[in-house]
Amino acid sequence: MSDLLLLGLIGGLTLLLLLTLLAFAGYSGLLAGVAVSAGSPPIRNVTVAYKFHMGPYGETGRLFTESCSISPKLRSIAVYYDNPHMVPPDKCRCAVGSILSEGEESPSPELIDLYQKFGFKVFSFPAPSHVVTATFPYTTILSIWLATRRVHPALDTYIKARKLCAYPRLEIYQEDQIHFMCPLARQGDFYVPEVKETERKWRGLVEASDTQVDGTAIGADTMSDTSSVSLEVSPGSRETSVATLSPGASSRGWDDGDTRSEHSYSESGASGSSFEELDLEGEGPLGESQLDPETEPLGTTKWPWEPSAPEKGKE
């Protein structure tokens, strides 16, 4: 009898534990719907204190913790510039920090000095006229894990289906919600100086590589021409030898195809549909990229899947 009672107690406790876990997951947003839409941004123009990170997005948790520990009451923000499924983890770039002020309000000099003391930099983001946006409950740490696995795929599907040019991908942790935002205009204004610098470096490497390959090909053609002429004027040369070594029959030794890096403009993956197709208010082609050659990203479509985020208790 005592054994049955013990088994029943164990079974009851196990069931209670499972129900508690399910309730916790539901409270964290397991059953929450993900609605993606295009419209006005969830925030206005903001001034942020940030640190730049290049590497796996899973390593950004320390940056969230650091920024939150300086001023726990401020909202956290992260900007992800690369798609980790298409860009090597060590090449993925992001900026993580805190929102110092929003709208016409200016951040206090004391607050700026405080963040700069810990190595943060200050930058301002505009308020784009239209964005692709989604929200997810932010009630527990589990909410962050659920959001990265539910919201980002939904954003990808929405953007791809409408062939929009929406990047980079921002996350704003505000009270009990996580706001996801992908600008449909003025994308270049969301690129911090470190990102622009990496773009210039990568562009320089690509151009240097192309120049070196072109020089090698020209040298090969010149040598082939010389060999052909030499054989043609030689007294005992044969036509078959000339034909074999002539420029038209020789190989360049490199492919004339695409020699661009994985960060080329053509691989951005967006066709730039206009906002008019989304039945939004406003004028102008709002789905087209607004970047100039200096600020337009060289990478693939920019959005992450599993970024780290600040702990709820430290916000």
Side-chain angles (χ1 to χ4, degrees), residues 183-240:
L184 287 163
R186 304 185 66 181
Q187 292 97 333
D189 293 336
F190 288 87
Y191 281 71
V192 297
E194 292 87 346
V195 175
K196 297 178 182 179
E197 181 61 28
T198 58
E199 299 289 350
R200 284 191 289 267
K201 289 181 179 179
W202 286 336
R203 187 181 295 111
L205 291 175
V206 172
E207 292 175 353
S209 177
D210 290 346
T211 301
Q212 183 177 2
V213 171
D214 290 341
T216 303
I218 292 173
D221 288 345
T222 303
M223 292 179 62
S224 180
D225 292 343
T226 303
S227 299
S228 178
V229 172
S230 173
L231 287 172
E232 288 174 355
V233 298
S234 298
S237 62
R238 294 179 295 178
E239 293 182 1
T240 53

Side-chain angles (χ1 to χ4, degrees), residues 5 36 45 53 67 78 86-87 93 107 116 151 179 205 245 273 280 302 309:
L5 181 61
V36 181
N45 56 297
H53 172 78
S67 64
M86 304 180 71
V87 177
R93 302 159 298 170
Q116 289 179 337
V151 179
H179 295 272
L205 291 175
L245 298 175
S273 299
L280 298 176
K302 318 291 185 185

